[in-house]
Amino acid sequence: PPGGGGGLASGNSVALREKWGSKVKIVLAEPEIVDDAKRSFESGELQGHEGGAAKPSVADGLKTTLGPNTFPIIKDLVNDVLTVPEKEILRCTRLVWERMKVLIEPSAGVGVAVLLSEEFKEKYPPAEFPSVGVVLCGGNVDVGKTVLKMEEMGV
C-alpha cells in the first residue's frame, strides 16, 4: 500500500497479518521526493520531512507523514518500504489509465511503479513471489493537470 500518513497502510497491514500471518510480505510504496516512511522504517524512529516541509510531488496524497498512531503498526507489521521517482509514478498512473481503464490518482500509481521497479523484482523475484497485490486507491485527480505534468516530464 502507499505510505503517506499511514492510515491505509497500517489498516491493510493489520488485515493482511490477521489473515495470512508471516506468509505475506507487506511492502509500502512511497515517492522518492517525500520518503519519510522509508527513513522512519529504516531508522526505527519517526522521521518528518527533510527540511521540515514536504517537497512538491505528483503523488500529493502521500505528502503527509507517518504519525505516532500509525508508525508503530508500520514498524511492527511491514517488511519493506520502497521508493520511486516522480516520472515513474506518472508513467505507471498512465499505464493503469490506458490498460485497465481505471482512473487512479498518482498516489495509487506509486504502488504500481514500485511493483514494476527493478528493486522490487530483485528483492521479490517472481519465481519466489508469484502472487502480488497492489492497492489502487483514490480517484482524487485533476486529469488535466496530471496530463500536463505527464507531457512536461515526457511520459
Side-chain angles (χ1 to χ4, degrees):
L8 183 65
S10 60
N12 275 278
S13 297
V14 168
L16 289 166
R17 286 285 176 245
E18 177 68 24
K19 177 76 175 166
W20 287 290
S22 61
K23 290 188 278 185
V24 67
K25 298 289 184 203
I26 302 171
V27 179
L28 295 194
E30 188 171 50
E32 281 180 350
I33 200 163
V34 284
D35 67 344
D36 69 285
K38 181 176 181 70
R39 290 182 294 103
S40 296
F41 185 76
E42 289 175 349
S43 72
E45 294 182 12
L46 198 54
Q47 305 289 314
H49 290 300
E50 287 186 315
K55 296 176 183 134
S57 173
V58 296
D60 58 356
L62 303 181
K63 290 185 346 182
T64 57
T65 58
L66 295 176
N69 294 325
T70 56
F71 179 60
I73 297 168
I74 301 297
K75 187 170 69 169
D76 291 345
L77 302 182
V78 166
N79 297 95
D80 205 352
V81 181
L82 302 180
T83 62
V84 287
E86 299 290 291
K87 188 170 183 175
E88 284 305 298
I89 296 168
L90 288 171
R91 185 182 72 77
C92 290
T93 299
R94 177 174 233 142
L95 178 72
V96 171
W97 289 0
E98 292 175 348
R99 301 293 178 166
M100 296 179 68
K101 309 299 184 215
V102 176
L103 186 64
I104 62 168
E105 60 186 80
S107 295
V110 174
V112 178
V114 162
L115 173 66
L116 298 177
S117 72
E118 288 304 314
E119 182 179 12
F120 185 87
K121 291 173 191 171
E122 288 171 13
K123 286 185 165 187
Y124 306 98
E128 291 178 47
F129 301 93
S131 299
V132 178
V134 178
V135 176
L136 296 179
C137 57
N140 186 19
V141 61
D142 182 325
V143 175
K145 284 183 182 177
T146 303
V147 168
L148 285 174
K149 192 69 169 172
M150 287 173 176
E151 290 171 353
E152 209 177 274
M153 296 187 87
V155 173

